[in-house]
Each structure stands twice: as C-alpha cells, then as structure tokens.
Amino acid sequence: MTDKFISIEGVSKRFPASGGGSTTVFEELWLSMARGEFVCIIGHSGCGKTTVLNILAGLEPPSDGTVIVDNQAIEGPSLDRAVIFQSHALLPWLTVMGNVAYAVASKWRFMGKDNLHHQAQKFIDLVGLTGAEHKRPAELSGGMKQRVGIARALSIEPKIMLMDEPFSALDALTRGTLQDEVRRICLETGQTAFMITHDVDEAIYLADRVVLMTNGPNAVLAEIVENPLPKERQRNDVHRHPLYYGVRNHIIDFLVSRSRSFADEMKSTNYDRRRVPVVRPGAPQVGPSRPATLDTTDPSQTRGPRPVVAAETAMPAPSRPGLAQHRA
C-alpha cells in the first residue's frame, strides 16, 4: 500500500502480571491504512482489539512502537480522531442539538453561534435525525441515541473514526439500519474508519479489508482479508455475490480453528510480522487450490494461509449480513 495515511509500526502492549513480570497482550503489530479506507478488525475476546483502538485514539500508550496518522505520531487524545463506543455516552441534560453542538464547539472554540448551529445541523440531518433536535436522550430509542453519537463524532470532521462494536447492543433490525447509514456516510464523505466487531457478516458488508487477529495473550495480526465484493454493494444483494460465502467461510474457519494454532503456522510458513499475509478469498488463483473445510472438532485440519475458492458457497449461512454474529 503506497498511501500510508495511518501506520501502526511495531506496536506491542504489556501489562504487569499479578505474580511479577508482565503479560504481553499483543506483540509487534504492523498495519497501514489508506485515506478513505474502512478496516474492520476481528478476533476472539481477550486478543487486544480494544487496546489497539485505544492506542489509535491516544487514550493509552503502547509499550513499544508507534502509531502515525497523517504523518504525525500519536502522543495523546486529539480531536482529529473520533471514537464511537458501544454505549452512546450522551450528556443526558443536553438535547440532540446540544450534544452535537458541544462537540463542534470543543473543536472550533471561536465559531459563531449561527455557524456552530449550521455545522451541528448538517450532521444531524446526515444521520436522519431531522426533527429530533430538541429531544433529550431519555426521549430517544437506542438506535436514535447511537445516531446522535455518530453525528457527534462526524461533526468534528475527524481524520479517522474509531468504532468499538458500536451496534452490538442494538436489536438486529436497528443494527442493520445503522450499518447501512454508516456505510452510506463513509462512501459519501470519504471518511476513514477503523472498527472492532465480532460480527463476521457486518465486517464483510462494511469493510474494504478485514484484519484477523489471533488469540491472546501474545496475539498477532494473522492475515489481512481483502474484500473482493464490489465497493458499491447493497445489503439485499451482497449475500448473492458468488464470492460472498468464500470470504465468510474463510473468516469463520480462522476464528473457529486456525486462530488457536496460528503460532504453529508461523513457524512453518516463515511468517513476517512486518508483512502480514494478504489474502483475497474466492479470487482467481494461480496454481492448484482446494476449498477450505470448517471442521470445529478436528484440530488436525487447521491450515495456514491459503486461497479459498468460490465453491464454498455451498455452506449454509444467514440470508442477510449483519443478522448473525460469531461470538467468542
């Protein structure tokens, strides 16, 4: 990748252990993102996904390595990076307009009242909350609260939007609607986004690339899955794409089987932490290949990075992305 808008360079994180010494959550992560790219990271609980996001946000420092955003090393929190958490975290005494305007005023302290209102209203409209400007959080549904959180994050026009499972607490229908909204907004605005998820279908629907992380402690980035689906994709049609289930099965195969034994694969495949393997399941391959199997009971069937062919579409899966989750 030539455009390294965001660059994670040799980042490690360790915490003191109760009996002395330290516990390594993850070790020497290398990852770069292009401007306007949407990247999802997926892995089992405890592998350090949220810690990676917190380091990107500047909320905690890495033990080793550095993170560079737009040629500037991260040294702490910044309004150039907006975070959307699982909880909406709205100020309950402020209205929708008040919550979004508060964020705008925090970045542009000397902005006039009319311009501040216009900036806040622009993003309230963008997330579909026109008419709800004067409602307080107690008067909003869960989905509407999360829309306010998204509007608040976007209103400061961040260089990167960081999302930590922002839809996990919502019902399936509301989650799907907000996935559509986030995807539409990112396409329209060119917003760069980094998102943590446990939902395989959500990752495939939203992301340009899906980063697979091994189990912790001592987690590493195992693979980067390039999404072969077209950039302009619709929820109602995405599951009909001939490459959809090949990608889905490859990710599930990793989560169910390979993530537990990837340390052995690293020894046998000359794994290079600086050059994380990039795979594109279902894409035409040079040389022989065979479909991956998903046998959750036979550890001997786990394998290293390899092409996955579109013939895997025979495996049953949900008819709509975003409605089924793989939980650790």
Side-chain angles (χ1 to χ4, degrees):
M1 182 181 299
T2 56
D3 178 12
K4 290 187 177 181
F5 180 60
I6 299 167
S7 185
I8 299 174
E9 301 183 354
V11 167
S12 303
K13 188 64 180 181
R14 304 179 191 89
F15 292 104
S18 57
S22 62
T23 298
T24 301
V25 182
F26 49 76
E27 187 74 35
E28 200 176 342
L29 304 186
W30 293 80
L31 177 70
S32 60
M33 289 176 56
R35 190 185 301 269
E37 187 177 23
F38 199 123
V39 170
C40 281
I41 187 167
I42 192 166
H44 288 281
S45 295
C47 68
K49 301 183 299 297
T50 297
T51 304
V52 173
L53 184 141
N54 287 341
I55 291 172
L56 277 167
L59 298 177
E60 59 181 285
S63 301
D64 295 312
T66 188
V67 178
I68 298 171
V69 176
D70 200 15
N71 298 316
Q72 295 290 325
I74 291 178
E75 297 180 350
S78 168
L79 291 173
D80 285 338
R81 303 181 300 279
V83 183
I84 302 174
F85 298 101
Q86 296 179 31
S87 171
H88 52 79
L90 301 180
L91 300 176
W93 59 89
L94 294 180
T95 63
V96 170
M97 174 60 73
N99 271 278
V100 179
Y102 184 83
V104 176
S106 69
K107 184 165 186 177
W108 295 288
R109 297 184 180 183
F110 302 105
M111 179 179 283
K113 184 176 181 180
D114 289 343
N115 289 335
L116 189 150
H117 184 278
H118 179 268
Q119 177 75 359
Q121 186 67 52
K122 172 184 173 182
F123 290 94
I124 291 172
D125 295 342
L126 188 64
V127 299
L129 286 178
T130 307
E133 294 88 348
H134 302 296
K135 292 184 177 181
R136 287 182 168 80
E139 303 174 84
L140 304 176
S141 67
M144 293 174 75
K145 291 175 184 177
Q146 202 64 319
R147 285 174 187 260
V148 179
I150 295 170
R152 180 178 59 186
L154 291 171
S155 68
I156 62 174
E157 299 181 4
K159 292 181 178 179
I160 179 172
M161 184 164 63
L162 304 167
M163 295 178 280
D164 188 358
E165 296 190 75
F167 314 128
S168 61
L170 304 174
D171 65 90
L173 294 177
T174 303
R175 183 166 64 246
T177 300
L178 285 184
Q179 288 168 357
D180 293 341
E181 288 295 314
V182 166
R183 176 162 176 76
R184 175 184 62 81
I185 290 168
C186 288
L187 287 174
E188 289 179 359
T189 63
Q191 178 67 58
T192 306
F194 180 90
M195 177 173 161
I196 294 172
T197 183
H198 282 100
D199 188 331
V200 175
D201 297 308
E202 177 176 74
I204 297 171
Y205 178 54
L206 293 175
D208 300 308
R209 295 188 299 158
V210 182
V211 179
L212 306 182
M213 202 165 182
T214 64
N215 293 7
N218 298 305
V220 299
L221 303 184
E223 289 179 354
I224 299 172
V225 179
E226 289 189 345
N227 196 338
L229 275 61
K231 185 82 171 179
E232 300 291 336
R233 47 187 181 264
Q234 300 297 322
R235 174 178 298 277
N236 292 338
D237 298 325
V238 69
H239 67 288
R240 299 188 180 96
H241 194 280
L243 301 182
Y244 179 77
Y245 290 118
V247 178
R248 188 178 192 274
N249 293 345
H250 182 86
I251 296 174
I252 292 178
D253 183 30
F254 173 83
L255 293 170
V256 172
S257 301
R258 296 177 52 225
S259 61
R260 295 181 174 88
S261 60
F262 194 78
D264 295 331
E265 293 185 21
M266 291 172 63
K267 298 174 184 177
S268 61
T269 58
N270 296 319
Y271 174 85
D272 186 350
R273 296 174 188 267
R274 288 174 174 258
R275 296 174 178 82
V276 180
V278 177
V279 297
R280 200 167 190 265
Q285 304 290 337
V286 178
S289 63
R290 59 176 178 172
T293 58
L294 180 57
D295 187 338
T296 62
T297 62
D298 184 2
S300 66
Q301 293 193 20
T302 59
R303 292 183 294 275
R306 72 271 185 262
V308 181
V309 299
E312 290 178 325
T313 56
M315 178 169 288
S319 59
R320 290 289 187 272
L323 301 186
Q325 290 191 337
H326 177 89
R327 289 282 182 186

